[in-house]
Amino acid sequence: MNFWTMIGLAAVTVLYPTKAHCEVDLAVEVLRFEPLDELRDREVPIKIYWNGEPEPKPVVLFSHGLGGSRENNAYLGEYWASAGYVAVFMQHAGSDEKVWKTARPLQRMKALKSAASLQSSQDRIKDVSFVIDQLTVWNKTASHPLHNRMDLERIGMSGHSFGAVTTLAVAGQKLPLNRSFEEERIDAFVAFSPQPGKGLPADRGFGHLAKPMLCMTGTKDASPIDPSFNPAKRREVYAALPKGDKYELILDGAEHSAFGDSGGLRSRQKNPKHHPAIQQISLRFWDAYLKGDDSAKHWLQSNRPLSETGLGDVDVWGWK
């Protein structure tokens, strides 16, 4: 396996509630690779979660936020993998954790702001296409541990914050000068903390996107690097999307960090209902649009995402 530059292989046991509100043990395997995009001389580290079963499964990609890594949002990777997906978490050099870890403490915010650049955005978009290309090669290679384990005709894309910017870009968002970077191999999208951007009005940027999309944000979901950014701006993305297989979750009181990993000094401020709801609703979305599950689609197009996930009237669920 060294041939594939795999640096880690592990199995983790995850406890998740079933519909009967009991707990079951689900083994999820974790693979790590450092594939090299030779055309750009650029490594794109990835962390892959899957349940080890031999049948080909739909693939869900995840792009981390500014200053993050492939290790972020494990609560989503483990959950999706346990439900029958190959979850592929990418790391983007130039806008990952190295940006702040290598800066002096008083210079870290400046370094992060500098990393939120056009160049980083372009690198991330190319990373997504490269990872899909690499997965395609591995899926056809008999000696690879993921040989014939991925159904690459069914691909979902997701990301948080800067990762949501990446997600919207590969979904086909229109940019200034009539540019677009749609990755046509992706079938459905989940944007955690989306933002409309500053180049074009939201309706021009997103009004043409026909593929299924789920947007999640919170009433206190401000930008960590731009104090002028109002949480209400994030809702402009969903508002601009055309009708048909579009969904929005707004978590009352949720800050930007609510969609990230648990733990840390600020974890006490997080609502314990939020992560389970994020897991369940995102999974139903993938089931509806990557597995063709009509019951999941009917569930999404109802008030059950609030009533059956522990959320309440203070939260907002919408679809169109």
Side-chain angles (χ1 to χ4, degrees):
M1 291 185 183
N2 288 335
F3 181 81
W4 302 107
T5 63
M6 184 172 71
I7 65 169
L9 170 61
V12 297
T13 299
V14 193
L15 296 178
Y16 294 122
T18 66
K19 293 180 180 179
H21 304 289
C22 62
E23 290 185 338
V24 294
D25 291 344
L26 298 172
V28 174
E29 295 185 19
V30 174
L31 306 172
R32 291 179 176 84
F33 303 91
E34 277 75 30
L36 175 67
D37 184 346
E38 295 182 354
L39 292 177
R40 297 183 293 157
D41 191 25
R42 176 180 171 90
E43 276 192 356
V44 185
I46 58 176
K47 180 179 181 181
I48 298 178
Y49 304 82
W50 68 305
N51 64 10
E53 295 178 353
E55 301 83 7
K57 300 169 182 63
V59 172
V60 175
L61 307 174
F62 185 88
S63 173
H64 63 77
L66 181 64
S69 77
R70 61 182 172 180
E71 304 299 331
N72 292 153
N73 293 77
Y75 80 101
L76 290 174
E78 292 167 357
Y79 192 81
W80 296 338
S82 73
Y85 293 88
V86 176
V88 180
F89 283 51
M90 298 171 281
Q91 184 164 331
H92 306 286
S95 59
D96 62 359
E97 62 185 8
K98 294 179 182 178
V99 171
W100 62 269
K101 284 187 174 181
T102 57
R104 294 180 179 179
L106 295 180
Q107 296 297 315
R108 287 177 175 175
M109 183 57 68
K110 181 179 179 181
L112 286 169
K113 290 181 179 180
S114 296
S117 64
L118 176 60
Q119 182 62 55
S120 291
S121 294
Q122 293 174 339
D123 288 339
R124 283 166 162 262
I125 291 166
K126 293 177 181 178
D127 287 347
V128 174
S129 294
F130 167 71
V131 166
I132 297 175
D133 291 342
Q134 188 65 68
L135 296 176
T136 302
V137 171
W138 289 343
N139 208 39
K140 296 177 180 179
T141 304
S143 60
H144 196 273
L146 290 172
H147 171 239
N148 202 29
R149 298 293 192 267
M150 296 174 284
D151 181 354
L152 294 170
E153 295 299 316
R154 297 182 290 173
I155 300 177
M157 175 69 195
S158 61
H160 178 226
S161 193
F162 204 0
V165 173
T166 307
T167 298
L168 295 172
V170 298
Q173 175 185 1
K174 286 185 180 178
L175 301 168
L177 303 178
N178 202 32
R179 293 173 301 156
S180 176
F181 299 96
E182 180 183 3
E183 174 49 80
E184 295 182 351
R185 293 174 290 182
I186 301 175
D187 304 294
F189 305 86
V190 177
F192 303 95
S193 300
Q195 59 191 62
K198 299 179 180 179
L200 293 175
D203 58 343
R204 290 181 60 190
F206 307 104
H208 64 291
L209 299 182
K211 289 182 178 179
M213 183 173 293
L214 167 60
C215 297
M216 292 193 188
T217 186
T219 59
K220 296 183 179 180
D221 191 359
S223 170
I225 65 170
D226 185 357
S228 68
F229 191 90
N230 189 313
K233 292 288 291 182
R234 300 196 189 279
R235 299 188 63 179
E236 293 182 8
V237 175
Y238 174 76
L241 293 170
K243 292 182 179 179
D245 302 310
K246 308 300 190 304
Y247 305 90
E248 180 183 47
L249 176 66
I250 305 168
L251 296 172
D252 183 66
E255 298 181 352
H256 195 65
S257 60
F259 301 94
D261 298 296
S262 59
L265 295 177
R266 302 187 65 186
S267 62
R268 296 178 183 177
Q269 301 175 13
K270 295 182 180 180
N271 188 326
K273 295 181 179 180
H274 286 170
H275 272 198
I278 292 167
Q279 288 173 320
Q280 293 172 58
I281 293 171
S282 62
L283 177 60
R284 291 295 187 113
F285 178 81
W286 298 134
D287 286 348
Y289 295 104
L290 297 184
K291 291 185 176 180
D293 185 339
D294 287 337
S295 65
K297 186 174 181 178
H298 293 319
W299 187 87
L300 291 168
Q301 296 178 0
S302 74
N303 290 320
R304 293 165 66 188
L306 294 183
S307 63
E308 295 185 4
T309 64
L311 299 178
D313 294 339
V314 293
D315 304 296
V316 176
W317 172 252
W319 70 92
K320 60 183 177 179

